[in-house]
Amino acid sequence: MNKQIFEDASVGHHANRKNIATAKYPAALQQNFSLSATAEAMREISTWQGYQQTPLAKLTDPAAEYGLGAIYYKDESSRFGLGSFKALGGAYAVLCLLRQKIRTQTSARVSVRDLEAGKFSEIAARVTVVTATDGNHGRSVAWGARRFGCQCRIYIHAGVSECRAAAMGELGAVVMRIAGNYDESVRQAARDAADNDWHVVSDTSYPGYTDLPAAVMAGYSVMMDEILGGNMPQNMPQLPGNAGLTHVFVQGGVGGLAASVAAYLWEKLGDARPRFIVVEPVLADCLFQSAVNNRATEVHITRETIMAGLSCGEVSQLAWEVLSIATDDFLTISDELVAPVMGMLADDNIEAGESAVAGLAGCLAVCANPQLKAMLDLNERSRVLVLGTEGATDREIYDAIIKRET
Ligand SMILES: Cc1ncc(COP(=O)(O)O)c(C=O)c1O
């Protein structure tokens, strides 16, 4: 890998440590993020057909090259055959919504098996779920809708690739492309849902809309439970105890993923939790700007980043409640760091998509900068976790990048 690019990279850094609450996990956050919600999601999702713990790879070469003790990479490329960690969130929220609908109408508590056997098919078929997406979340919602028997409409923005749109269509969703950017597609989906009595199943939350995004984030936290929890008999924790983790680098779009990870670590490990770092593309840095301004801040996206899943200009309200007090450092990185990291992982036989590598790219860029490395307390004793959140979710884009890198 061309180390020079990392040495030359301009990395935006905002230290948020003065805002950090070191005490026990706050009771106020329990309603939306809790280990018991994780355990419930894990109990459910681990029974789904095709469930398998995703691998946790140890990246020995970059750890040695950049002077770190260990780098662990959670590889989500195989999750439920959908190619990203988002498979855990949207589909789980669709299930929570349907259960609640059926319960209201029949008082019955339904299982996935009931739904898959078509037991409440008339009620389910009258429900339409809607979401805006840049690909991965929509795929999860469409997959859940087909699996549990409801209708699905997906809103995509002008920059979403044809390949990602087709993947959702193949799952039976009606896919609507709008002219604007991601945030406009979110607003259009909300408007159309209100006009048609459809149900928004969004991965971002806003005032008055929190329950389903909280379910989405509980689904994501299953990843952390596979690493540290070992709640299910078939899952040994991949890192027993906390295996001395000192740093976690997580990429941010609207912040839902990062918030679910930060909340999990805080409640589980308390003061012993690792340093938590959020990484965003400089072209879509709404979490970074929110940290700078100390309040949720919208940014206007003028150019799409190659990290399509992270191209968001507005933070999720619930996510910001956690991240504003649980994130030690916010970073921004430029798009040029993405391809080299994808290529490096491909050499290690790991298929990592553009949005998967942001956390790792941020970590390596910090390590290549002696001042930042010292500031973030990274050294040969550091044990770093990064989340490889997607595989080749657009095969054409992936192949073109890897071809250039080899
Ligand atoms: C592959 C991938 N990684 C990370 C993220 C970021 O998740 P969030 O928007 O919850 O911050 C996304 C969002 O779509 C994604 O698709």
Side-chain angles (χ1 to χ4, degrees):
M1 187 175 60
N2 182 356
K3 215 172 160 193
Q4 193 66 42
I5 294 186
F6 287 82
E7 281 161 13
D8 295 345
S10 104
V11 182
H13 174 241
H14 177 82
N16 196 49
R17 293 175 77 80
K18 67 176 184 324
N19 289 335
I20 291 291
T22 50
K24 255 179 61 192
Y25 186 63
L29 296 180
Q30 279 280 348
Q31 193 190 343
N32 296 312
F33 300 88
S34 65
L35 292 180
S36 58
T38 300
E40 203 177 316
M42 179 54 121
R43 265 196 305 278
E44 177 57 52
I45 291 171
S46 61
T47 67
W48 295 0
Q49 202 189 350
Y51 170 77
Q52 253 186 339
Q53 203 177 48
T54 54
L56 185 74
K58 199 167 175 190
L59 307 178
T60 41
D61 289 351
E65 195 172 348
Y66 285 85
L68 299 173
I71 304 177
Y72 297 100
Y73 179 93
K74 179 73 165 161
D75 178 5
E76 286 294 302
S77 59
S78 60
R79 184 69 77 180
F80 283 119
L82 296 189
S84 89
F85 81 104
K86 290 256 162 184
L88 296 166
Y92 179 61
V94 171
L95 176 64
C96 294
L97 171 75
L98 279 178
R99 272 192 175 143
Q100 184 214 331
K101 287 257 145 225
I102 293 167
R103 187 128 190 243
T104 315
Q105 291 181 38
T106 66
S107 307
R109 280 178 187 275
V110 279
S111 68
V112 164
R113 260 172 288 284
D114 291 334
L115 289 170
E116 285 179 341
K119 210 164 161 192
F120 296 93
S121 58
E122 271 182 33
I123 299 176
R126 283 200 300 273
V127 173
T128 298
V129 291
V130 191
T131 191
T133 186
D134 34 43
N136 291 333
H137 172 67
R139 211 161 157 186
S140 178
V141 171
W143 179 66
R146 190 178 69 174
R147 196 161 186 163
F148 309 133
C150 62
Q151 313 295 316
C152 179
R153 295 178 85 88
I154 302 285
Y155 288 72
I156 56 173
H157 62 84
V160 174
S161 74
E162 272 310 324
C163 173
R164 292 193 168 112
M168 293 179 277
E170 279 160 23
L171 289 166
V174 176
V175 180
M176 320 273 296
R177 191 183 285 277
I178 66 136
N181 63 16
Y182 171 74
D183 301 303
E184 283 153 336
S185 67
V186 170
R187 285 190 280 271
Q188 182 75 44
R191 270 196 302 273
D192 288 2
D195 290 347
N196 292 285
D197 206 15
W198 299 332
H199 297 273
V200 174
V201 179
S202 177
D203 53 356
T204 195
S205 77
Y206 33 87
Y209 180 73
T210 53
D211 289 357
L212 290 173
V216 168
M217 291 186 278
Y220 298 163
S221 65
V222 160
M223 249 186 317
M224 290 310 294
D225 217 45
E226 290 176 349
I227 299 172
L228 294 174
N231 272 327
M232 302 307 293
Q234 72 269 40
N235 284 348
M236 291 302 285
Q238 293 172 310
L239 293 176
N242 66 4
L245 279 184
T246 56
H247 296 74
V248 180
F249 286 77
V250 183
Q251 51 273 40
V254 299
L257 163 68
S260 74
V261 175
Y264 181 97
L265 290 168
W266 193 351
E267 188 175 358
K268 187 160 183 77
L269 303 175
D271 279 353
R273 68 193 185 277
R275 186 161 177 150
F276 192 77
I277 302 118
V278 171
V279 184
E280 287 174 288
V282 71
L283 295 173
D285 60 347
C286 58
L287 295 163
F288 186 96
Q289 295 304 334
S290 299
V292 169
N293 295 329
N294 223 354
R295 65 180 161 76
T297 300
E298 184 179 343
V299 299
H300 188 63
I301 292 173
T302 48
R303 228 177 80 210
E304 288 293 331
T305 162
I306 187 178
M307 295 167 262
L310 313 183
S311 184
C312 309
E314 289 175 44
V315 303
S316 165
Q317 182 204 325
L318 283 187
W320 185 243
E321 283 171 17
V322 175
L323 294 176
S324 55
I325 53 170
T327 307
D328 296 88
D329 304 271
F330 289 87
L331 298 179
T332 57
I333 57 165
S334 57
D335 278 16
E336 65 181 344
L337 301 185
V338 170
V341 181
M342 287 171 65
M344 178 192 87
L345 290 169
D347 290 344
D348 240 350
N349 289 322
I350 296 175
E351 195 176 78
E354 308 85 87
S355 299
V357 299
L360 179 54
C363 170
L364 300 185
V366 166
C367 290
N369 175 324
Q371 216 186 337
L372 268 182
K373 190 176 180 190
M375 209 186 281
L376 267 71
D377 217 7
L378 281 158
N379 52 50
E380 63 289 345
R381 290 181 306 282
S382 305
R383 303 176 78 79
V384 176
L385 172 68
V386 297
L387 300 178
T389 45
E390 69 175 351
T393 48
D394 185 314
R395 177 61 57 188
E396 275 176 28
I397 297 176
Y398 180 84
D399 286 348
I401 292 174
I402 293 299
K403 210 160 129 204
R404 274 204 311 272
E405 284 304 302
T406 48

mmCIF file of all heavy atoms in Angstrom, residues 38 51-52 95 107 134-135 147 165 169 189 216 227 238 262-263 294 314 317 342 357 365 370 388 397:
data_model
loop_
_atom_site.group_PDB
_atom_site.id
_atom_site.type_symbol
_atom_site.label_atom_id
_atom_site.label_comp_id
_atom_site.label_asym_id
_atom_site.label_seq_id
_atom_site.Cartn_x
_atom_site.Cartn_y
_atom_site.Cartn_z
ATOM 1 N N THR A 38 -30.270 -4.945 22.934
ATOM 2 C CA THR A 38 -29.327 -5.737 22.122
ATOM 3 C C THR A 38 -29.611 -7.224 22.299
ATOM 4 O O THR A 38 -29.672 -7.974 21.320
ATOM 5 C CB THR A 38 -27.862 -5.469 22.557
ATOM 6 O OG1 THR A 38 -27.584 -4.095 22.380
ATOM 7 C CG2 THR A 38 -26.881 -6.303 21.754
ATOM 8 N N TYR A 51 -28.612 -17.023 9.511
ATOM 9 C CA TYR A 51 -27.808 -16.260 10.477
ATOM 10 C C TYR A 51 -26.474 -16.958 10.726
ATOM 11 O O TYR A 51 -26.430 -18.153 10.979
ATOM 12 C CB TYR A 51 -28.536 -16.090 11.822
ATOM 13 C CG TYR A 51 -27.593 -15.511 12.863
ATOM 14 C CD1 TYR A 51 -27.288 -14.154 12.838
ATOM 15 C CD2 TYR A 51 -26.942 -16.327 13.791
ATOM 16 C CE1 TYR A 51 -26.370 -13.619 13.736
ATOM 17 C CE2 TYR A 51 -26.031 -15.810 14.687
ATOM 18 C CZ TYR A 51 -25.754 -14.456 14.661
ATOM 19 O OH TYR A 51 -24.841 -13.932 15.537
ATOM 20 N N GLN A 52 -25.435 -16.185 10.679
ATOM 21 C CA GLN A 52 -24.103 -16.666 11.062
ATOM 22 C C GLN A 52 -23.306 -15.512 11.598
ATOM 23 O O GLN A 52 -23.402 -14.408 11.050
ATOM 24 C CB GLN A 52 -23.379 -17.190 9.826
ATOM 25 C CG GLN A 52 -23.300 -18.676 9.820
ATOM 26 C CD GLN A 52 -22.448 -19.186 8.676
ATOM 27 O OE1 GLN A 52 -22.231 -18.485 7.691
ATOM 28 N NE2 GLN A 52 -21.969 -20.393 8.818
ATOM 29 N N LEU A 95 -39.777 -6.061 11.165
ATOM 30 C CA LEU A 95 -40.397 -7.097 11.997
ATOM 31 C C LEU A 95 -41.057 -6.472 13.236
ATOM 32 O O LEU A 95 -42.199 -6.809 13.584
ATOM 33 C CB LEU A 95 -39.320 -8.113 12.421
ATOM 34 C CG LEU A 95 -39.800 -9.194 13.377
ATOM 35 C CD1 LEU A 95 -40.855 -10.077 12.710
ATOM 36 C CD2 LEU A 95 -38.627 -10.058 13.853
ATOM 37 N N SER A 107 -54.313 -8.905 19.135
ATOM 38 C CA SER A 107 -53.729 -9.215 20.456
ATOM 39 C C SER A 107 -52.743 -10.381 20.410
ATOM 40 O O SER A 107 -52.279 -10.835 21.455
ATOM 41 C CB SER A 107 -54.794 -9.570 21.508
ATOM 42 O OG SER A 107 -55.750 -8.598 21.568
ATOM 43 N N ASP A 134 -29.295 5.137 0.589
ATOM 44 C CA ASP A 134 -28.290 5.186 -0.470
ATOM 45 C C ASP A 134 -27.904 3.772 -0.862
ATOM 46 O O ASP A 134 -26.924 3.545 -1.558
ATOM 47 C CB ASP A 134 -27.067 6.011 -0.056
ATOM 48 C CG ASP A 134 -26.786 5.880 1.410
ATOM 49 O OD1 ASP A 134 -26.864 4.744 1.913
ATOM 50 O OD2 ASP A 134 -26.499 6.897 2.063
ATOM 51 N N GLY A 135 -28.670 2.814 -0.419
ATOM 52 C CA GLY A 135 -28.470 1.436 -0.876
ATOM 53 C C GLY A 135 -28.651 0.389 0.200
ATOM 54 O O GLY A 135 -29.597 -0.393 0.167
ATOM 55 N N ARG A 147 -39.607 -10.949 3.218
ATOM 56 C CA ARG A 147 -39.574 -12.096 4.116
ATOM 57 C C ARG A 147 -40.814 -12.161 5.010
ATOM 58 O O ARG A 147 -41.369 -13.221 5.257
ATOM 59 C CB ARG A 147 -38.326 -11.925 4.980
ATOM 60 C CG ARG A 147 -37.923 -13.135 5.675
ATOM 61 C CD ARG A 147 -36.472 -13.039 6.112
ATOM 62 N NE ARG A 147 -36.140 -14.323 6.664
ATOM 63 C CZ ARG A 147 -34.929 -14.768 6.866
ATOM 64 N NH1 ARG A 147 -33.911 -14.026 6.552
ATOM 65 N NH2 ARG A 147 -34.723 -15.951 7.383
ATOM 66 N N ALA A 165 -29.681 0.183 -6.979
ATOM 67 C CA ALA A 165 -31.137 0.301 -7.167
ATOM 68 C C ALA A 165 -31.708 -1.051 -7.607
ATOM 69 O O ALA A 165 -32.741 -1.511 -7.098
ATOM 70 C CB ALA A 165 -31.434 1.370 -8.216
ATOM 71 N N GLY A 169 -34.804 -3.593 -6.207
ATOM 72 C CA GLY A 169 -35.906 -4.010 -7.078
ATOM 73 C C GLY A 169 -36.029 -5.536 -7.105
ATOM 74 O O GLY A 169 -37.117 -6.094 -7.047
ATOM 75 N N ALA A 189 -39.697 10.763 1.161
ATOM 76 C CA ALA A 189 -40.261 9.506 1.678
ATOM 77 C C ALA A 189 -41.232 9.808 2.818
ATOM 78 O O ALA A 189 -42.333 9.243 2.889
ATOM 79 C CB ALA A 189 -39.136 8.589 2.155
ATOM 80 N N VAL A 216 -33.745 -0.218 14.688
ATOM 81 C CA VAL A 216 -32.674 -0.392 13.685
ATOM 82 C C VAL A 216 -31.316 -0.461 14.403
ATOM 83 O O VAL A 216 -30.487 -1.353 14.145
ATOM 84 C CB VAL A 216 -32.682 0.785 12.671
ATOM 85 C CG1 VAL A 216 -31.416 0.794 11.820
ATOM 86 C CG2 VAL A 216 -33.926 0.731 11.780
ATOM 87 N N ILE A 227 -18.944 -9.685 19.052
ATOM 88 C CA ILE A 227 -17.528 -9.463 19.387
ATOM 89 C C ILE A 227 -17.283 -9.624 20.887
ATOM 90 O O ILE A 227 -16.349 -10.293 21.319
ATOM 91 C CB ILE A 227 -17.088 -8.055 18.920
ATOM 92 C CG1 ILE A 227 -17.240 -7.925 17.404
ATOM 93 C CG2 ILE A 227 -15.636 -7.783 19.322
ATOM 94 C CD1 ILE A 227 -17.026 -6.514 16.867
ATOM 95 N N GLN A 238 -16.043 -13.101 20.283
ATOM 96 C CA GLN A 238 -14.844 -13.124 19.448
ATOM 97 C C GLN A 238 -13.649 -12.501 20.165
ATOM 98 O O GLN A 238 -12.520 -12.848 19.895
ATOM 99 C CB GLN A 238 -15.143 -12.419 18.119
ATOM 100 C CG GLN A 238 -16.159 -13.222 17.302
ATOM 101 C CD GLN A 238 -16.635 -12.491 16.067
ATOM 102 O OE1 GLN A 238 -17.039 -11.332 16.138
ATOM 103 N NE2 GLN A 238 -16.619 -13.169 14.925
ATOM 104 N N ALA A 262 -21.141 2.892 20.351
ATOM 105 C CA ALA A 262 -20.676 3.663 21.515
ATOM 106 C C ALA A 262 -21.526 3.357 22.750
ATOM 107 O O ALA A 262 -20.994 3.180 23.852
ATOM 108 C CB ALA A 262 -20.727 5.158 21.198
ATOM 109 N N ALA A 263 -22.843 3.279 22.553
ATOM 110 C CA ALA A 263 -23.730 3.023 23.693
ATOM 111 C C ALA A 263 -23.474 1.614 24.249
ATOM 112 O O ALA A 263 -23.417 1.413 25.467
ATOM 113 C CB ALA A 263 -25.187 3.170 23.259
ATOM 114 N N ASN A 294 -21.117 22.048 18.802
ATOM 115 C CA ASN A 294 -21.744 21.573 20.022
ATOM 116 C C ASN A 294 -23.271 21.486 19.941
ATOM 117 O O ASN A 294 -23.967 21.649 20.930
ATOM 118 C CB ASN A 294 -21.325 22.465 21.201
ATOM 119 C CG ASN A 294 -21.011 21.609 22.413
ATOM 120 O OD1 ASN A 294 -21.219 20.385 22.376
ATOM 121 N ND2 ASN A 294 -20.554 22.229 23.479
ATOM 122 N N GLU A 314 -27.351 15.306 7.401
ATOM 123 C CA GLU A 314 -28.075 15.575 8.657
ATOM 124 C C GLU A 314 -27.893 14.420 9.613
ATOM 125 O O GLU A 314 -28.052 13.265 9.232
ATOM 126 C CB GLU A 314 -29.574 15.760 8.380
ATOM 127 C CG GLU A 314 -29.889 17.049 7.656
ATOM 128 C CD GLU A 314 -31.371 17.155 7.288
ATOM 129 O OE1 GLU A 314 -32.220 16.834 8.141
ATOM 130 O OE2 GLU A 314 -31.654 17.527 6.143
ATOM 131 N N GLN A 317 -31.154 12.309 15.192
ATOM 132 C CA GLN A 317 -31.322 12.938 16.508
ATOM 133 C C GLN A 317 -30.908 11.999 17.654
ATOM 134 O O GLN A 317 -30.148 12.377 18.547
ATOM 135 C CB GLN A 317 -32.787 13.329 16.676
ATOM 136 C CG GLN A 317 -33.089 14.044 17.981
ATOM 137 C CD GLN A 317 -34.562 13.890 18.379
ATOM 138 O OE1 GLN A 317 -35.445 13.859 17.532
ATOM 139 N NE2 GLN A 317 -34.806 13.772 19.653
ATOM 140 N N MET A 342 -8.957 -0.363 0.487
ATOM 141 C CA MET A 342 -9.696 -1.475 -0.136
ATOM 142 C C MET A 342 -8.719 -2.462 -0.779
ATOM 143 O O MET A 342 -8.866 -3.679 -0.670
ATOM 144 C CB MET A 342 -10.667 -0.933 -1.195
ATOM 145 C CG MET A 342 -11.872 -0.225 -0.611
ATOM 146 S SD MET A 342 -12.874 0.619 -1.875
ATOM 147 C CE MET A 342 -13.480 -0.746 -2.863
ATOM 148 N N VAL A 357 -14.359 0.932 4.708
ATOM 149 C CA VAL A 357 -12.967 1.105 5.109
ATOM 150 C C VAL A 357 -12.682 2.455 5.784
ATOM 151 O O VAL A 357 -11.548 2.715 6.179
ATOM 152 C CB VAL A 357 -12.020 0.950 3.886
ATOM 153 C CG1 VAL A 357 -12.155 -0.454 3.277
ATOM 154 C CG2 VAL A 357 -12.278 2.009 2.831
ATOM 155 N N ALA A 365 -4.469 6.874 8.825
ATOM 156 C CA ALA A 365 -4.058 8.261 8.545
ATOM 157 C C ALA A 365 -3.586 8.946 9.830
ATOM 158 O O ALA A 365 -2.623 9.714 9.822
ATOM 159 C CB ALA A 365 -5.212 9.028 7.909
ATOM 160 N N PRO A 370 2.596 11.764 13.152
ATOM 161 C CA PRO A 370 3.111 11.577 14.512
ATOM 162 C C PRO A 370 2.392 12.430 15.568
ATOM 163 O O PRO A 370 2.130 11.961 16.687
ATOM 164 C CB PRO A 370 4.579 11.992 14.394
ATOM 165 C CG PRO A 370 4.911 11.841 12.945
ATOM 166 C CD PRO A 370 3.647 12.081 12.179
ATOM 167 N N GLY A 388 -15.748 -3.296 9.466
ATOM 168 C CA GLY A 388 -15.784 -3.382 8.000
ATOM 169 C C GLY A 388 -17.234 -3.604 7.601
ATOM 170 O O GLY A 388 -17.705 -4.722 7.483
ATOM 171 N N ILE A 397 -18.419 -0.898 -9.255
ATOM 172 C CA ILE A 397 -17.564 0.112 -8.617
ATOM 173 C C ILE A 397 -16.393 -0.579 -7.921
ATOM 174 O O ILE A 397 -15.232 -0.184 -8.048
ATOM 175 C CB ILE A 397 -18.371 0.971 -7.612
ATOM 176 C CG1 ILE A 397 -19.460 1.762 -8.336
ATOM 177 C CG2 ILE A 397 -17.457 1.903 -6.819
ATOM 178 C CD1 ILE A 397 -20.377 2.571 -7.428
#
